[in-house]
C-alpha cells in the first residue's frame, strides 16, 4: 500500500483491558536498505543517533545473518540458549542458523520516534 503499511498486524490487550491493534510497516519498507550477508556473518552499521541499551549508548550496531544485532562487535553464533544470548549486548529477533544467501535477505532502516 502507498502508506508503507499492509498485512502485518499486532493485536493485544493492554493492562486496562483495552484492545489495541497496531499496524507494522511492510518488511521491507520502501526505505529499507539491503545488507549483503553470507552464512554466519555480520556487518557493521553506523547508527544515526546513539542507541541507549542497558546503561550504555552505542553509535554502532552489528547486524548478524542469524537473526540478531550486537553492539560490542560482530558475532557469528548460530543459535543458543539464554547463556549465549546474554553473553554480550544483543537484541535477538530470531536467533537461529539462517542463511540469507540461499534465498533470503537482511534489511535495515533507521526510524526515529514520531516517524
Amino acid at each position: 500500500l502507498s502508506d508503507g503499511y499492509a498485512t502485518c498486524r499486532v493485536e493485544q490487550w493492554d493492562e486496562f483491558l483495552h484492545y489495541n491493534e497496531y499496524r507494522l510497516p511492510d518488511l521491507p519498507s520502501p526505505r529499507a536498505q539491503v545488507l549483503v550477508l553470507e552464512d554466519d556473518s555480520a556487518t557493521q552499521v553506523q547508527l544515526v543517533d546513539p542507541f541507549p541499551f542497558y546503561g550504555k549508548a552505542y553509535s554502532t550496531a552489528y547486524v548478524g545473518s542469524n537473526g540478531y544485532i550486537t553492539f560490542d562487535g560482530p558475532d557469528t553464533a548460530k543459535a543458543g540458549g539464554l547463556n549465549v544470548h546474554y553473553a554480550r549486548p544483543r537484541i535477538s529477533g530470531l536467533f537461529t542458523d539462517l542463511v540469507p544467501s540461499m534465498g533470503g535477505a537482511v534489511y535495515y532502516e533507521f526510524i526515529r520516534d514520531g516517524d
Side-chain angles (χ1 to χ4, degrees), residues 50-76:
F51 179 72
F53 190 61
Y54 286 99
K56 186 172 179 185
Y58 294 92
S59 59
T60 302
Y62 300 86
V63 180
S65 62
N66 290 326
Y68 52 78
I69 301 167
T70 56
F71 296 96
D72 62 345
D75 191 7
T76 58

mmCIF file of all heavy atoms in Angstrom, residues 50-76:
data_model
loop_
_atom_site.group_PDB
_atom_site.id
_atom_site.type_symbol
_atom_site.label_atom_id
_atom_site.label_comp_id
_atom_site.label_asym_id
_atom_site.label_seq_id
_atom_site.Cartn_x
_atom_site.Cartn_y
_atom_site.Cartn_z
ATOM 1 N N PRO A 50 22.772 7.951 18.800
ATOM 2 C CA PRO A 50 23.219 6.975 19.798
ATOM 3 C C PRO A 50 22.025 6.150 20.304
ATOM 4 O O PRO A 50 20.935 6.676 20.506
ATOM 5 C CB PRO A 50 23.799 7.840 20.914
ATOM 6 C CG PRO A 50 24.131 9.140 20.269
ATOM 7 C CD PRO A 50 23.113 9.320 19.174
ATOM 8 N N PHE A 51 22.253 4.860 20.470
ATOM 9 C CA PHE A 51 21.211 3.950 20.918
ATOM 10 C C PHE A 51 21.494 3.537 22.359
ATOM 11 O O PHE A 51 22.487 2.863 22.624
ATOM 12 C CB PHE A 51 21.163 2.718 20.016
ATOM 13 C CG PHE A 51 20.127 1.710 20.416
ATOM 14 C CD1 PHE A 51 18.788 1.964 20.226
ATOM 15 C CD2 PHE A 51 20.509 0.506 21.008
ATOM 16 C CE1 PHE A 51 17.828 1.037 20.593
ATOM 17 C CE2 PHE A 51 19.560 -0.429 21.379
ATOM 18 C CZ PHE A 51 18.213 -0.163 21.172
ATOM 19 N N PRO A 52 20.652 3.980 23.317
ATOM 20 C CA PRO A 52 20.881 3.597 24.711
ATOM 21 C C PRO A 52 20.412 2.165 24.957
ATOM 22 O O PRO A 52 19.284 1.798 24.632
ATOM 23 C CB PRO A 52 20.030 4.603 25.495
ATOM 24 C CG PRO A 52 18.956 5.017 24.552
ATOM 25 C CD PRO A 52 19.532 4.888 23.165
ATOM 26 N N PHE A 53 21.304 1.354 25.532
ATOM 27 C CA PHE A 53 20.979 -0.052 25.760
ATOM 28 C C PHE A 53 21.688 -0.497 27.040
ATOM 29 O O PHE A 53 22.912 -0.535 27.086
ATOM 30 C CB PHE A 53 21.429 -0.875 24.551
ATOM 31 C CG PHE A 53 20.950 -2.295 24.529
ATOM 32 C CD1 PHE A 53 19.599 -2.587 24.499
ATOM 33 C CD2 PHE A 53 21.851 -3.333 24.521
ATOM 34 C CE1 PHE A 53 19.147 -3.894 24.469
ATOM 35 C CE2 PHE A 53 21.420 -4.649 24.482
ATOM 36 C CZ PHE A 53 20.059 -4.937 24.463
ATOM 37 N N TYR A 54 20.905 -0.770 28.053
ATOM 38 C CA TYR A 54 21.414 -1.205 29.354
ATOM 39 C C TYR A 54 22.519 -0.292 29.887
ATOM 40 O O TYR A 54 23.600 -0.729 30.250
ATOM 41 C CB TYR A 54 21.883 -2.656 29.308
ATOM 42 C CG TYR A 54 20.730 -3.621 29.266
ATOM 43 C CD1 TYR A 54 20.311 -4.175 28.071
ATOM 44 C CD2 TYR A 54 20.048 -3.955 30.436
ATOM 45 C CE1 TYR A 54 19.232 -5.046 28.030
ATOM 46 C CE2 TYR A 54 18.966 -4.829 30.409
ATOM 47 C CZ TYR A 54 18.570 -5.369 29.208
ATOM 48 O OH TYR A 54 17.512 -6.218 29.166
ATOM 49 N N GLY A 55 22.212 1.005 29.912
ATOM 50 C CA GLY A 55 23.102 1.958 30.543
ATOM 51 C C GLY A 55 24.274 2.452 29.712
ATOM 52 O O GLY A 55 25.086 3.230 30.195
ATOM 53 N N LYS A 56 24.365 2.030 28.480
ATOM 54 C CA LYS A 56 25.443 2.490 27.605
ATOM 55 C C LYS A 56 24.843 2.946 26.277
ATOM 56 O O LYS A 56 23.898 2.343 25.791
ATOM 57 C CB LYS A 56 26.457 1.366 27.368
ATOM 58 C CG LYS A 56 27.670 1.802 26.598
ATOM 59 C CD LYS A 56 28.725 0.734 26.541
ATOM 60 C CE LYS A 56 29.899 1.241 25.718
ATOM 61 N NZ LYS A 56 30.911 0.226 25.524
ATOM 62 N N ALA A 57 25.406 4.002 25.696
ATOM 63 C CA ALA A 57 24.933 4.498 24.395
ATOM 64 C C ALA A 57 25.865 3.977 23.307
ATOM 65 O O ALA A 57 27.082 4.151 23.384
ATOM 66 C CB ALA A 57 24.899 6.016 24.378
ATOM 67 N N TYR A 58 25.291 3.345 22.295
ATOM 68 C CA TYR A 58 26.070 2.766 21.196
ATOM 69 C C TYR A 58 25.849 3.573 19.925
ATOM 70 O O TYR A 58 24.718 3.952 19.610
ATOM 71 C CB TYR A 58 25.652 1.314 20.952
ATOM 72 C CG TYR A 58 25.982 0.406 22.102
ATOM 73 C CD1 TYR A 58 25.056 0.169 23.106
ATOM 74 C CD2 TYR A 58 27.223 -0.208 22.202
ATOM 75 C CE1 TYR A 58 25.354 -0.670 24.173
ATOM 76 C CE2 TYR A 58 27.532 -1.041 23.256
ATOM 77 C CZ TYR A 58 26.590 -1.265 24.243
ATOM 78 O OH TYR A 58 26.889 -2.088 25.298
ATOM 79 N N SER A 59 26.919 3.809 19.171
ATOM 80 C CA SER A 59 26.813 4.510 17.892
ATOM 81 C C SER A 59 26.975 3.546 16.721
ATOM 82 O O SER A 59 26.818 3.930 15.570
ATOM 83 C CB SER A 59 27.856 5.619 17.803
ATOM 84 O OG SER A 59 29.161 5.078 17.931
ATOM 85 N N THR A 60 27.291 2.296 17.030
ATOM 86 C CA THR A 60 27.484 1.263 16.019
ATOM 87 C C THR A 60 26.712 0.016 16.417
ATOM 88 O O THR A 60 26.640 -0.326 17.594
ATOM 89 C CB THR A 60 28.983 0.900 15.906
ATOM 90 O OG1 THR A 60 29.717 2.071 15.573
ATOM 91 C CG2 THR A 60 29.220 -0.148 14.840
ATOM 92 N N ALA A 61 26.136 -0.637 15.429
ATOM 93 C CA ALA A 61 25.493 -1.935 15.640
ATOM 94 C C ALA A 61 26.063 -2.915 14.621
ATOM 95 O O ALA A 61 26.543 -2.515 13.557
ATOM 96 C CB ALA A 61 23.983 -1.824 15.466
ATOM 97 N N TYR A 62 26.015 -4.183 14.963
ATOM 98 C CA TYR A 62 26.480 -5.241 14.072
ATOM 99 C C TYR A 62 25.294 -6.150 13.789
ATOM 100 O O TYR A 62 24.778 -6.800 14.699
ATOM 101 C CB TYR A 62 27.638 -6.018 14.700
ATOM 102 C CG TYR A 62 28.813 -5.118 14.984
ATOM 103 C CD1 TYR A 62 28.898 -4.390 16.160
ATOM 104 C CD2 TYR A 62 29.818 -4.968 14.037
ATOM 105 C CE1 TYR A 62 29.965 -3.545 16.402
ATOM 106 C CE2 TYR A 62 30.891 -4.119 14.272
ATOM 107 C CZ TYR A 62 30.948 -3.414 15.453
ATOM 108 O OH TYR A 62 32.006 -2.565 15.680
ATOM 109 N N VAL A 63 24.843 -6.155 12.558
ATOM 110 C CA VAL A 63 23.688 -6.949 12.162
ATOM 111 C C VAL A 63 24.183 -8.312 11.714
ATOM 112 O O VAL A 63 24.990 -8.413 10.785
ATOM 113 C CB VAL A 63 22.898 -6.259 11.031
ATOM 114 C CG1 VAL A 63 21.706 -7.095 10.616
ATOM 115 C CG2 VAL A 63 22.464 -4.860 11.467
ATOM 116 N N GLY A 64 23.711 -9.352 12.393
ATOM 117 C CA GLY A 64 24.146 -10.709 12.085
ATOM 118 C C GLY A 64 23.162 -11.430 11.189
ATOM 119 O O GLY A 64 21.956 -11.181 11.229
ATOM 120 N N SER A 65 23.675 -12.333 10.386
ATOM 121 C CA SER A 65 22.816 -13.090 9.461
ATOM 122 C C SER A 65 21.954 -14.125 10.171
ATOM 123 O O SER A 65 21.070 -14.706 9.561
ATOM 124 C CB SER A 65 23.676 -13.786 8.401
ATOM 125 O OG SER A 65 24.548 -14.718 9.015
ATOM 126 N N ASN A 66 22.176 -14.340 11.469
ATOM 127 C CA ASN A 66 21.410 -15.344 12.199
ATOM 128 C C ASN A 66 20.323 -14.749 13.089
ATOM 129 O O ASN A 66 19.916 -15.346 14.079
ATOM 130 C CB ASN A 66 22.356 -16.248 13.002
ATOM 131 C CG ASN A 66 23.157 -17.143 12.090
ATOM 132 O OD1 ASN A 66 22.679 -17.577 11.054
ATOM 133 N ND2 ASN A 66 24.400 -17.401 12.455
ATOM 134 N N GLY A 67 19.856 -13.551 12.748
ATOM 135 C CA GLY A 67 18.665 -13.001 13.387
ATOM 136 C C GLY A 67 18.886 -12.167 14.623
ATOM 137 O O GLY A 67 18.003 -12.102 15.474
ATOM 138 N N TYR A 68 20.022 -11.499 14.753
ATOM 139 C CA TYR A 68 20.240 -10.665 15.923
ATOM 140 C C TYR A 68 21.139 -9.481 15.589
ATOM 141 O O TYR A 68 21.784 -9.435 14.549
ATOM 142 C CB TYR A 68 20.854 -11.467 17.076
ATOM 143 C CG TYR A 68 22.094 -12.248 16.701
ATOM 144 C CD1 TYR A 68 23.321 -11.618 16.582
ATOM 145 C CD2 TYR A 68 22.021 -13.607 16.450
ATOM 146 C CE1 TYR A 68 24.452 -12.324 16.227
ATOM 147 C CE2 TYR A 68 23.149 -14.326 16.095
ATOM 148 C CZ TYR A 68 24.369 -13.678 15.986
ATOM 149 O OH TYR A 68 25.478 -14.382 15.633
ATOM 150 N N ILE A 69 21.163 -8.534 16.525
ATOM 151 C CA ILE A 69 22.008 -7.351 16.448
ATOM 152 C C ILE A 69 22.878 -7.346 17.701
ATOM 153 O O ILE A 69 22.360 -7.537 18.807
ATOM 154 C CB ILE A 69 21.162 -6.060 16.395
ATOM 155 C CG1 ILE A 69 20.242 -6.076 15.182
ATOM 156 C CG2 ILE A 69 22.042 -4.824 16.403
ATOM 157 C CD1 ILE A 69 19.173 -4.998 15.233
ATOM 158 N N THR A 70 24.179 -7.138 17.546
ATOM 159 C CA THR A 70 25.069 -6.971 18.684
ATOM 160 C C THR A 70 25.646 -5.567 18.649
ATOM 161 O O THR A 70 25.588 -4.890 17.629
ATOM 162 C CB THR A 70 26.207 -8.022 18.685
ATOM 163 O OG1 THR A 70 26.915 -7.935 17.446
ATOM 164 C CG2 THR A 70 25.653 -9.426 18.869
ATOM 165 N N PHE A 71 26.209 -5.142 19.776
ATOM 166 C CA PHE A 71 26.681 -3.761 19.881
ATOM 167 C C PHE A 71 28.157 -3.629 20.219
ATOM 168 O O PHE A 71 28.740 -2.579 20.022
ATOM 169 C CB PHE A 71 25.843 -3.009 20.915
ATOM 170 C CG PHE A 71 24.409 -2.894 20.510
ATOM 171 C CD1 PHE A 71 23.468 -3.796 20.979
ATOM 172 C CD2 PHE A 71 24.003 -1.912 19.620
ATOM 173 C CE1 PHE A 71 22.141 -3.703 20.587
ATOM 174 C CE2 PHE A 71 22.686 -1.822 19.223
ATOM 175 C CZ PHE A 71 21.755 -2.715 19.707
ATOM 176 N N ASP A 72 28.781 -4.677 20.727
ATOM 177 C CA ASP A 72 30.181 -4.576 21.134
ATOM 178 C C ASP A 72 31.127 -5.257 20.151
ATOM 179 O O ASP A 72 32.288 -5.460 20.449
ATOM 180 C CB ASP A 72 30.368 -5.157 22.532
ATOM 181 C CG ASP A 72 30.021 -6.635 22.602
ATOM 182 O OD1 ASP A 72 29.369 -7.149 21.670
ATOM 183 O OD2 ASP A 72 30.408 -7.289 23.591
ATOM 184 N N GLY A 73 30.643 -5.590 18.984
ATOM 185 C CA GLY A 73 31.449 -6.237 17.962
ATOM 186 C C GLY A 73 30.626 -7.279 17.236
ATOM 187 O O GLY A 73 29.545 -7.669 17.695
ATOM 188 N N PRO A 74 31.104 -7.742 16.083
ATOM 189 C CA PRO A 74 30.341 -8.735 15.323
ATOM 190 C C PRO A 74 30.343 -10.087 16.027
ATOM 191 O O PRO A 74 31.249 -10.403 16.796
ATOM 192 C CB PRO A 74 31.091 -8.814 13.996
ATOM 193 C CG PRO A 74 32.468 -8.331 14.304
ATOM 194 C CD PRO A 74 32.343 -7.358 15.427
ATOM 195 N N ASP A 75 29.295 -10.859 15.782
ATOM 196 C CA ASP A 75 29.176 -12.198 16.347
ATOM 197 C C ASP A 75 28.665 -13.119 15.245
ATOM 198 O O ASP A 75 27.892 -12.698 14.388
ATOM 199 C CB ASP A 75 28.202 -12.190 17.519
ATOM 200 C CG ASP A 75 28.239 -13.482 18.323
ATOM 201 O OD1 ASP A 75 29.107 -14.339 18.063
ATOM 202 O OD2 ASP A 75 27.393 -13.642 19.219
ATOM 203 N N THR A 76 29.090 -14.350 15.271
ATOM 204 C CA THR A 76 28.654 -15.313 14.254
ATOM 205 C C THR A 76 27.994 -16.531 14.879
ATOM 206 O O THR A 76 27.884 -17.570 14.241
ATOM 207 C CB THR A 76 29.847 -15.753 13.380
ATOM 208 O OG1 THR A 76 30.848 -16.328 14.222
ATOM 209 C CG2 THR A 76 30.423 -14.580 12.608
#
